[in-house]
Amino acid sequence: MLMAQDDPDLTDVVRWVEALRAAYARSLEDGVACWRRAEAAAAAGAVSATALAQAALLALETMGPADSISLGMSACEALRRHGGAGELDRLRAVRATLPARSGLRDWRAEASRAQAVIEARAAGWCTCAAEAACGAGVYGEQWRIESERVDAEQYCVHMVVRCTVCQSEWQVRQDDGYHYPIFAWSRA
């Protein structure tokens, strides 16, 4: 089963976002599981990617300071993966209204990353340059790590990474000295 029985259908994005917030209120695991079920349903073709992108936009548009960091980050990730040109105007508008997060990853930065990737996709370009410009991680199907060298003194890893879509080669420095890894990209 792709969606849990208590998950509303993604065609009713208002009810789905309400259920998502209720899941996060129960626990972080429940909230993340709700996103994962929606992602799996979109990947299997059981729901449209556009419906998932619309739900992610609504989640961001109704974001508040009490919402989980994971909710905002996951909404931006869903937009980055599934958003199209039709979502760009709403995403641009909502980005400015998102709450600032000092000391932690800022939802606005993640919304900007989603916007850059959607713009590249809408223009018919590979999204790797947009991902690199936003400091994306090297996780996922788009990247293949060709080589890596650990620099224990600097708490970082130097990698050569190849985009599996367009075959562009990138040099990436993964800095592990912060609360989460930070990636710096340049063309190889």
Side-chain angles (χ1 to χ4, degrees):
M1 173 193 293
L2 293 175
M3 299 295 280
Q5 290 190 335
D6 60 341
D7 285 350
D9 188 312
L10 261 169
T11 57
D12 184 348
V13 295
V14 172
R15 285 189 58 232
W16 189 84
V17 171
E18 288 171 357
L20 175 67
R21 281 206 165 83
Y24 273 108
R26 286 190 304 273
S27 71
L28 177 62
E29 289 90 13
D30 284 357
V32 170
C34 193
W35 279 115
R36 286 189 180 144
R37 287 189 300 272
E39 286 282 348
V47 298
S48 76
T50 301
L52 182 51
Q54 293 293 315
L57 268 171
L58 182 61
L60 287 176
E61 288 168 338
T62 57
M63 205 75 191
D67 280 316
S68 164
I69 295 169
S70 178
L71 190 148
M73 301 293 279
S74 296
C76 290
E77 176 72 6
L79 279 166
R80 188 184 64 73
R81 293 184 65 192
H82 302 291
E87 285 79 44
L88 277 172
D89 287 340
R90 281 177 65 195
L91 179 56
R92 286 182 188 114
V94 74
R95 190 228 170 260
T97 68
L98 293 174
R101 302 202 50 88
S102 62
L104 297 170
R105 277 190 143 146
D106 194 325
W107 292 324
R108 294 169 302 173
E110 293 301 315
S112 294
R113 176 179 169 209
Q115 179 182 328
V117 169
I118 293 169
E119 287 169 346
R121 185 181 305 120
W125 305 328
C126 181
T127 61
C128 71
E131 296 276 13
C134 296
V138 296
Y139 318 114
E141 300 167 356
Q142 185 168 5
W143 310 110
R144 182 177 60 243
I145 298 172
E146 306 254 312
S147 67
E148 59 186 313
R149 178 181 56 82
V150 175
D151 183 343
E153 264 184 38
Q154 296 295 314
Y155 301 102
C156 68
V157 180
H158 299 275
M159 296 174 265
V160 175
V161 176
R162 184 172 304 276
C163 173
T164 60
V165 177
C166 72
Q167 303 307 309
S168 292
E169 194 171 84
W170 298 85
Q171 291 180 348
V172 181
R173 181 176 190 245
Q174 177 181 332
D175 182 350
D176 292 324
Y178 191 57
H179 296 290
Y180 52 84
I182 297 173
F183 298 87
W185 294 72
S186 61
R187 292 272 185 181

